[in-house]
């Protein structure tokens, strides 16, 4: 008797490889997005929680933020390093940018009604886009600005979101604003507990 050995033909192998390639092309971007989305969410939650704790600790040691004088552009770095950094900590600093141990950074942008800062989830690496890895926050030093940006007088630090704190503002309004003006996305993310939901306007 002659034993026959079962084997795949070249054509069958090529077809199988094509199918595997198509499946990989469809699933790898999704896996990458989900991984990045989770990483970004964890860092944002951690940053916001630590900052809230830093503000509370600062008040225990130095008194209410309501009694603090708003710094000028030339003194904002000193203000941050003296009042917030002792409770946040940093790995190193460069100009108006403070880098944290997890690879993220905080840049002091300037002074208007409040002290504007930019949280960069990956510390300067791409994509460097608002609503993706860049998110804007504020320290507000007077009641009028706190009410305008955060909706109350008792919040000192929070996301960029003027006009998005009224009771009539819906989540869909926030999604639309985030899509048209990505610098406002931090307010939407705060509402969503710093998670990038399925209907978040941007994919990365």
């Amino acid at each position: 008797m002659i034993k026959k050995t079962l084997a795949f033909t070249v054509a069958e192998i090529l077809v199988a490889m094509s199918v595997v390639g198509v499946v990989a092309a469809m699933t790898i971007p999704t896996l990458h997005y989900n991984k990045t989305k989770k990483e970004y969410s964890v860092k944002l939650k951690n940053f916001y929680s630590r900052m809230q704790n830093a503000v509370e600790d600062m008040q225990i040691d130095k008194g209410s933020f309501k009694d603090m004088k708003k710094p000028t552009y030339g003194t904002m770095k000193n203000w941050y390093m003296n009042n917030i950094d002792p409770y946040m900590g940093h790995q190193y600093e460069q100009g108006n940018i403070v880098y944290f141990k997890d690879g993220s950074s905080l840049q002091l942008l300037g002074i208007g009604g409040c002290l504007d800062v930019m949280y960069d989830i990956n510390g300067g690496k791409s994509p460097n886009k608002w609503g993706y890895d860049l998110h804007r926050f504020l320290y507000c030093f007077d009641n009028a600005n706190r009410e305008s940006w955060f909706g109350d007088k008792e919040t000192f630090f929070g996301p960029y979101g003027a006009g998005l704190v009224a009771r009539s503002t819906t989540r869909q309004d926030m999604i639309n604003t985030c899509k048209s003006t990505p610098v406002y996305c931090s307010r939407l993310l705060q509402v969503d507990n710093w998670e990038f939901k399925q209907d978040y306007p941007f994919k990365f």
Side-chain angles (χ1 to χ4, degrees):
M1 293 180 65
I2 300 174
K3 293 184 179 180
K4 293 183 178 181
T5 302
L6 297 177
F8 294 106
T9 65
V10 173
E12 289 173 329
I13 292 174
L14 290 175
V15 169
M17 290 177 64
S18 297
V19 171
V20 171
V22 171
V23 172
M26 294 174 62
T27 58
I28 288 176
T30 300
L31 292 174
H32 172 74
Y33 172 68
N34 289 333
K35 178 180 179 295
T36 303
K37 183 171 66 170
K38 184 175 181 180
E39 176 188 349
Y40 281 17
S41 179
V42 168
K43 283 192 174 183
L44 273 168
K45 285 181 182 180
N46 182 54
F47 166 74
Y48 189 70
S49 175
R50 289 176 59 217
M51 190 60 73
Q52 293 297 316
N53 291 334
V55 170
E56 291 180 8
D57 291 341
M58 176 192 72
Q59 291 190 98
I60 291 173
D61 293 339
K62 301 193 175 187
S64 173
F65 58 75
K66 293 183 179 180
D67 299 324
M68 286 191 159
K69 183 179 179 181
K70 183 174 71 174
T72 63
Y73 182 85
T75 62
M76 64 181 183
K77 175 70 176 297
N78 288 337
W79 178 87
Y80 177 85
M81 297 305 292
N82 291 332
N83 294 287
I84 302 297
D85 188 72
Y87 311 101
M88 284 289 288
H90 67 276
Q91 188 173 38
Y92 66 96
E93 55 184 288
Q94 186 175 18
N96 285 336
I97 306 177
V98 175
Y99 293 85
F100 303 116
K101 292 180 179 179
D102 65 355
S104 64
S105 65
L106 187 70
Q107 181 174 357
L108 307 174
L109 296 177
I111 295 287
C114 305
L115 169 56
D116 289 44
V117 298
M118 177 183 75
Y119 179 65
D120 188 338
I121 292 174
N122 48 25
K125 297 179 181 178
S126 62
N128 286 325
K129 293 181 180 180
W130 292 111
Y132 291 77
D133 56 334
L134 305 182
H135 300 277
R136 197 160 185 167
F137 294 87
L138 300 167
Y139 300 93
C140 291
F141 294 82
D142 62 77
N143 288 339
N145 276 293
R146 286 193 287 268
E147 285 186 329
S148 173
W149 288 100
F150 309 139
D152 64 73
K153 301 175 183 178
E154 307 303 319
T155 301
F156 179 53
F157 174 83
Y160 205 71
L164 299 179
V165 295
R167 291 184 180 180
S168 59
T169 303
T170 65
R171 183 174 176 278
Q172 187 59 51
D173 292 333
M174 295 181 185
I175 290 174
N176 295 337
T177 302
C178 171
K179 187 174 182 179
S180 62
T181 313
V183 72
Y184 283 94
C185 290
S186 54
R187 174 58 180 158
L188 170 63
L189 288 167
Q190 182 191 41
V191 168
D192 287 342
N193 194 31
W194 307 108
E195 295 179 0
F196 296 84
K197 303 292 187 180
Q198 288 298 321
D199 56 356
Y200 187 72
F202 305 111
K203 307 298 180 185
F204 39 84

